[in-house]
Amino acid sequence: MRLLLRFMGFMFALGTLVLLAGAGAATFLIWKYSQDLPDYSQLQNYEPPVMTRVHADDGSLVAEWARQRRLYIPIQNVPRLVIEAFLSAEDKNFYEHGGIDPSGIFRAALVYLQNYGSNRRPQGASTITQQVAKNFLLTNEVSIDRKVKEALLALRIERAYSKDRILELYLNEIYLGMGAYGIAAAALVYFDKSVEELTIPEVAYLAALPKAPSSYNPFRDRDRAIDRRNWVIDRMAENGFITLDQADAAKKDPLTVTPRPTGAQIFAAEYYAEEVRRQIYERYGESKLYEGGLSVRTALNPKLQVLAKKTLTDGLVRFDEQRGWRGPYKTIEMTGDWGTKLSEIKAFYDIPWKLAVVLSSDKDSARIGFQPAREKGGGISSAREVGLITLDGVKWARWVRGPDAGRQVTSVSQVLKPGDVIYVEPVAGKDGQYRLRQIPDVEGAMVVMEPLTGRVVALSGGFSYDESQFNRATQALRQPGSSFKPFVYAAALDNGYTPSTVVLDAPIEIDQGPGMPVWAPENYAKKFYGPQTLRFGLEQSRNVMTVRLAQDVGMPIVAEYARKFGIYDDMLPVLSMSLGAGETTLMRMVGAYAMIANGGRKVTPSLIDRIQDRYGRTIYRHDERECRGCDATTWQNQPEPTLIDRRPVVLDPMTSYQITEMMEGVVQRGTGTALKEVGKPVAGKTGTTNDEKDAWFVGFTPEVVVGVYLGYDKPKAMGKGSTGGLLSAPIVRDFMKTALADRPAIPFRVPPGIKLVRINPKSGLRAGTGENAILEAFKPGTAPPDSYSVIGSSDAAIGVTPEADRAVRTGTGGLY
């Protein structure tokens, strides 16, 4: 008995020593690994990279940009079903353990022993807390050291943060494949839904992804993805989160994934979205753009944007097709599978046309095959679609090159040969029939702006963003030509001239200084009309009259007006610049016209209305007007709120009205008569540069300013008659007719002090009884002259006006 007691004492002492040694060793290991543990307190101020989202003025999504596609969602906003799915898949005891799950470790150890020597990766026993420690603070290294550190950090994190906070960090940080980080972004990327809209099979699939997103790709590994999803559904039912009937129904559901594209989300808004991205980058830098979680509200009106894209495209195509057929886009060999070869050719997807190859052609028609669609997994569809082009679909294709140049098409096979790769467009009302199209050589741009605020509600920077990302609305420097003339006339009206002032339209030679040839400007039609009013000079776009006027006003004054209106930063004060010889952008020109439409008040063009940071704080707002009375919380018969506009005035409001009325004459009687079809008050000005290299029209109503230019990217002549009035004005007309169709006709506001006097539009004199007359706007202290005469004529100079007297005394030889 004594021997037994002595043995028992020995074993107890030995056990105590072993226990103490183990405790000491454990303490040492904990101390050792604790020395270089990362600081977990950084989780308190966790700010993950969050994507920037851009919205239109109606709230619809325009674009998303991010390095990691992530939307941060607080745990309070995560649906219970989502939480239950992830707990079932990853850590069902999450709310019970203290950071480490002993039962999970035991299961993982058993699996490890079973697979020992098989080179299989050990099964993880990590809790959600351990995954947070690994994802935020450690690496993905597979080692005992990392697992020990992971466990120690998990214990400390559990003591420092609530379970909900830990789960919130996890659900927003995990990578779920296809570039999506966190559950909110994954719901959008995989299903184009918010997390609140997800169904049981959808949340189960997302919960299946954290272990290995690439192994459960819904396209490449569809069967494995469905098996893993169904496993999660079974765990949800096993844990009592859903019923068995719900589980059975969910497992029968097909895995339907609708990937969400990056970049522009609204068709036709690609140039707009890219310009917004560029401005944010310049304002805040790359990190803020791609990681800052900015919420950007733009001025984009989706309906007007689609309309702007369509009308510009129609105008470019109309011009291009009038020049004839240039030949196929590309050609391919017709041996073997034509669909595979056609799929290798890059197509433009931002135009409403289809890429096709001619399979056969004869006199009456051509049989075409369309580019096969890409399957979601990236492969080429095995389906082959075909269509037909009849003779009517190619009649426009007059040849411009080769022996058939200029000949009208009488046979489809004249134009199309087997192997020709072409673009086609469906013929409305004729199923299966298509019309031949070609990518236009000519380019152009359109800007649509609100004149009161400068908000750019639509912008198209070219025919196709897929073809060229160069934004011709904001980046192309072009000569505005005669569309600059209103600012020369505005400078004159601001300095004592009236719309009835008479200027001589006759040949003139300008001495440009030593070593420079004499410059003799000409009118477009090579004709001269003698003494004419300023109104006539602007309406008919008379070059010589504009040069004489600029010479008399003084080019330094004209250059200052160009600067004030934002057309040029530092215009060279030479007379040729009065005809728009300097280069500027369409955006600047539209902004300048908006200031005239806004009564002379400064307008800053802007695509962005407001920017908020990730916390909802407004960090930028375009409209800086003060709203007095807008902070009232209750109605107490107080005055209605008022907007205080402190923007500077760049042009006298009366001058703005005068130049507006003169530009209304451009539409009614001058070079912009295409706009008469709009049927509402419209003012505007055409512009055509030397050799018809650029064709402009900028027009406005009290509600909207629209500017268009056409021209080749490498400037060259577009052909005789390619003027702003014939090319660009019809595009603006087509846009305005549709955009303003349901709007009332609003006249331009007459500012206080303006007198409207009946005058003869040809002479500028007061109109007599029965004479053809228009109402002309005059400022206080001015009036139409009673008479004028041309100095140097055979008749006596009777009633010489002050303008004529000044012209003689200053030697300008042109102003009367």
Side-chain angles (χ1 to χ4, degrees):
M1 186 69 181
R2 183 179 298 175
L3 187 61
L4 179 62
L5 289 173
R6 188 175 292 177
F7 176 75
M8 292 293 289
F10 173 76
M11 292 302 293
F12 178 76
L14 182 62
T16 301
L17 288 173
V18 170
L19 184 64
L20 289 173
T27 302
F28 173 77
L29 287 173
I30 292 173
W31 174 82
K32 177 179 180 294
Y33 284 110
S34 297
Q35 296 306 299
D36 58 349
L37 282 180
D39 181 11
Y40 62 88
S41 64
Q42 63 184 274
L43 300 180
Q44 185 67 37
N45 301 315
Y46 171 59
E47 285 191 352
V50 178
M51 63 181 165
T52 289
R53 309 188 84 205
V54 180
H55 295 86
D57 67 350
D58 64 354
S60 56
L61 184 66
V62 176
E64 296 172 328
W65 297 299
R67 291 196 182 95
Q68 298 180 1
R69 299 178 75 179
R70 179 188 283 107
L71 291 174
Y72 196 89
I73 180 170
I75 192 66
Q76 297 88 344
N77 296 341
V78 179
R80 193 68 202 166
L81 185 66
V82 174
I83 293 175
E84 292 167 349
F86 277 86
L87 294 183
S88 299
E90 294 295 314
D91 188 0
K92 70 175 183 178
N93 298 322
F94 174 70
Y95 279 99
E96 280 74 49
H97 63 64
I100 300 173
D101 185 5
S103 62
I105 295 174
F106 181 71
R107 284 195 308 272
L110 285 178
V111 172
Y112 174 75
L113 292 174
Q114 292 170 0
N115 296 334
Y116 184 77
S118 64
N119 291 325
R120 285 175 152 183
R121 184 186 175 98
Q123 176 179 313
S126 297
T127 63
I128 283 178
T129 312
Q130 287 176 274
Q131 292 184 57
V132 167
K134 180 189 72 172
N135 292 339
F136 285 88
L137 305 171
L138 300 171
T139 67
N140 287 323
E141 175 194 5
V142 180
S143 67
I144 297 297
D145 282 5
R146 198 221 59 192
K147 294 299 291 184
V148 172
K149 290 180 179 180
E150 183 182 289
L152 292 174
L153 283 170
L155 293 171
R156 295 187 179 187
I157 290 170
E158 286 275 351
R159 289 198 300 269
Y161 303 106
S162 68
K163 287 286 188 181
D164 282 350
R165 174 59 177 167
I166 294 169
L167 190 58
E168 179 180 295
L169 293 171
Y170 173 75
L171 292 176
N172 282 286
E173 179 67 17
I174 48 172
Y175 179 63
L176 296 172
M178 291 178 67
Y181 290 78
I183 54 169
L188 289 172
V189 168
Y190 284 97
F191 304 110
D192 202 13
K193 292 181 176 180
S194 67
V195 287
E196 294 85 2
E197 300 172 297
L198 294 175
T199 62
I200 292 174
E202 290 168 346
V203 298
Y205 175 67
L206 295 184
L209 293 172
K211 290 293 184 196
S214 60
S215 298
Y216 304 118
N217 185 282
F219 307 121
R220 295 191 304 270
D221 304 289
R222 186 173 183 80
D223 291 339
R224 291 182 66 188
I226 291 176
D227 288 345
R228 177 69 179 174
R229 180 202 67 177
N230 291 346
W231 179 87
V232 175
I233 292 172
D234 288 337
R235 301 290 77 74
M236 292 175 72
E238 183 182 289
N239 294 331
F241 296 139
I242 58 175
T243 65
L244 290 175
D245 289 341
Q246 287 177 312
D248 290 338
K251 287 191 288 185
K252 293 176 183 176
D253 193 82
L255 181 56
T256 305
V257 173
T258 54
R260 187 187 188 94
T262 57
Q265 305 285 325
I266 296 177
F267 177 76
E270 297 85 3
Y271 282 108
Y272 197 107
E274 173 58 19
E275 182 63 19
V276 170
R277 188 203 66 80
R278 189 181 64 81
Q279 290 186 12
I280 296 173
Y281 178 87
E282 290 178 353
R283 186 183 295 269
Y284 299 110
E286 186 176 357
S287 177
K288 201 80 168 178
L289 170 64
Y290 293 110
E291 300 176 357
L294 302 177
S295 175
V296 184
R297 179 58 66 97
T298 69
L300 177 69
N301 182 310
K303 291 181 180 179
L304 294 182
Q305 179 61 44
V306 171
L307 178 61
K309 168 77 172 180
K310 181 182 184 305
T311 51
L312 178 64
T313 297
D314 289 348
L316 294 172
V317 170
R318 184 166 56 239
F319 172 85
D320 189 69
E321 290 189 353
Q322 288 170 356
R323 270 75 192 155
W325 172 245
R326 295 188 305 276
Y329 179 58
K330 291 184 182 299
T331 57
I332 60 174
E333 290 290 333
M334 294 304 292
T335 55
D337 181 13
W338 56 264
T340 302
K341 295 176 182 177
L342 188 59
S343 67
E344 294 173 356
I345 296 176
K346 183 182 183 301
F348 304 141
Y349 295 106
D350 60 340
I351 57 177
W353 303 346
K354 291 184 176 182
L355 192 69
V357 62
V358 178
L359 304 177
S360 62
S361 64
D362 55 29
K363 184 177 185 297
D364 298 319
S365 64
R367 185 167 168 268
I368 56 175
F370 298 108
Q371 188 178 54
R374 290 274 178 182
E375 295 177 342
K376 291 179 179 178
I380 302 168
S381 171
S382 58
R384 298 291 181 265
E385 296 182 22
V386 296
L388 198 69
I389 299 178
T390 65
L391 184 58
D392 286 341
V394 299
K395 277 191 173 178
W396 66 267
R398 176 176 55 83
W399 283 89
V400 294
R401 296 175 189 152
D404 293 328
R407 210 171 83 187
Q408 293 298 320
V409 172
T410 58
S411 168
V412 176
S413 58
Q414 280 182 290
V415 179
L416 301 177
K417 303 288 190 295
D420 286 352
V421 177
I422 56 175
Y423 277 98
V424 296
E425 185 177 29
V427 177
K430 295 184 178 180
D431 190 36
Q433 287 193 26
Y434 294 82
R435 185 182 189 278
L436 177 65
R437 292 295 194 186
Q438 73 178 352
I439 304 298
D441 267 357
V442 73
E443 277 291 358
M446 175 184 282
V447 172
V448 184
M449 186 182 296
E450 289 181 354
L452 299 183
T453 61
R455 299 174 70 241
V456 179
V457 296
L459 176 151
S460 184
F463 175 75
S464 167
Y465 184 80
D466 281 353
E467 180 188 23
S468 168
Q469 288 77 54
F470 181 62
N471 191 334
R472 295 157 189 86
T474 60
Q475 294 175 302
L477 291 171
R478 311 290 294 214
Q479 292 179 335
S482 297
S483 63
F484 178 74
K485 289 176 182 176
F487 304 97
V488 178
Y489 284 76
L493 294 172
D494 245 5
N495 286 275
Y497 298 78
T498 75
S500 291
T501 298
V502 176
V503 179
L504 182 63
D505 184 17
I508 184 174
E509 293 184 347
I510 307 294
D511 184 1
Q512 301 186 89
M516 297 289 289
V518 173
W519 179 46
E522 293 181 326
N523 293 320
Y524 180 80
K526 304 292 193 294
K527 293 181 181 179
F528 301 94
Y529 290 82
Q532 297 291 341
T533 64
L534 292 193
R535 171 180 283 279
F536 177 89
L538 189 60
E539 288 180 356
Q540 302 301 324
S541 199
R542 312 307 292 175
N543 292 340
V544 176
M545 290 179 65
T546 304
V547 171
R548 290 183 188 275
L549 182 63
Q551 188 180 44
D552 194 67
V553 172
M555 280 307 297
I557 294 177
V558 174
E560 175 61 15
Y561 272 69
R563 186 196 63 78
K564 289 197 300 182
F565 279 93
I567 300 171
Y568 303 111
D569 293 328
D570 188 17
M571 188 182 94
L572 192 65
V574 296
L575 283 171
S576 60
M577 299 294 284
S578 67
L579 300 181
E583 293 179 334
T584 187
T585 66
L586 178 62
M587 180 69 79
R588 285 189 168 215
M589 287 300 295
V590 172
Y593 274 72
M595 295 183 213
I596 295 175
N598 192 28
R601 196 173 286 276
K602 180 75 173 177
V603 168
T604 303
S606 177
L607 284 72
I608 300 171
D609 284 346
R610 185 195 66 215
I611 300 176
Q612 293 174 297
D613 64 14
R614 66 169 70 210
Y615 303 109
R617 295 187 295 252
T618 297
I619 58 176
Y620 168 80
R621 188 187 300 276
H622 168 64
D623 193 343
E624 298 179 344
R625 291 176 296 175
E626 177 188 352
C627 183
R628 291 184 179 174
C630 289
D631 55 351
T633 56
T634 59
W635 173 249
Q636 297 178 346
N637 296 316
Q638 69 266 39
E640 62 184 56
T642 55
L643 285 173
I644 309 301
D645 195 344
R646 294 189 175 90
R647 291 177 295 179
V649 174
V650 297
L651 188 66
D652 185 293
M654 289 187 282
T655 302
S656 292
Y657 182 74
Q658 286 180 312
I659 201 70
T660 298
E661 285 296 290
M662 291 166 69
M663 284 195 283
E664 270 198 279
V666 172
V667 171
Q668 294 301 316
R669 295 172 294 276
T671 56
T673 52
L675 274 292
K676 289 174 72 173
E677 289 184 35
V678 175
K680 295 178 173 66
V682 180
K685 184 68 186 75
T686 55
T688 309
T689 59
N690 288 341
D691 300 323
E692 289 90 4
K693 292 178 181 176
D694 301 90
W696 291 68
F697 186 84
V698 186
F700 59 91
T701 72
E703 298 177 277
V704 67
V705 187
V706 184
V708 168
Y709 99 83
L710 266 64
Y712 293 102
D713 281 346
K714 292 183 178 179
K716 64 179 181 179
M718 292 188 289
K720 189 64 177 175
S722 299
T723 64
L726 291 178
L727 298 186
S728 299
I731 298 174
V732 177
R733 173 201 63 203
D734 294 344
F735 177 87
M736 284 189 172
K737 281 178 69 174
T738 304
L740 303 176
D742 57 350
R743 306 288 296 172
I746 302 174
F748 292 102
R749 189 178 68 86
V750 183
I754 281 287
K755 298 181 298 181
L756 296 176
V757 181
R758 290 179 70 253
I759 68 162
N760 184 310
K762 291 186 177 181
S763 67
L765 304 178
R766 290 182 183 271
T769 305
E771 275 190 80
N772 178 36
I774 62 170
L775 286 176
E776 191 65 271
F778 290 89
K779 298 176 184 177
T782 66
D786 293 322
S787 65
Y788 77 94
S789 63
V790 180
I791 304 299
S793 68
S794 57
D795 299 324
I798 304 172
V800 177
T801 63
E803 291 88 353
D805 180 62
R806 183 171 65 252
V808 173
R809 286 187 288 103
T810 57
T812 58
L815 279 164
Y816 294 90

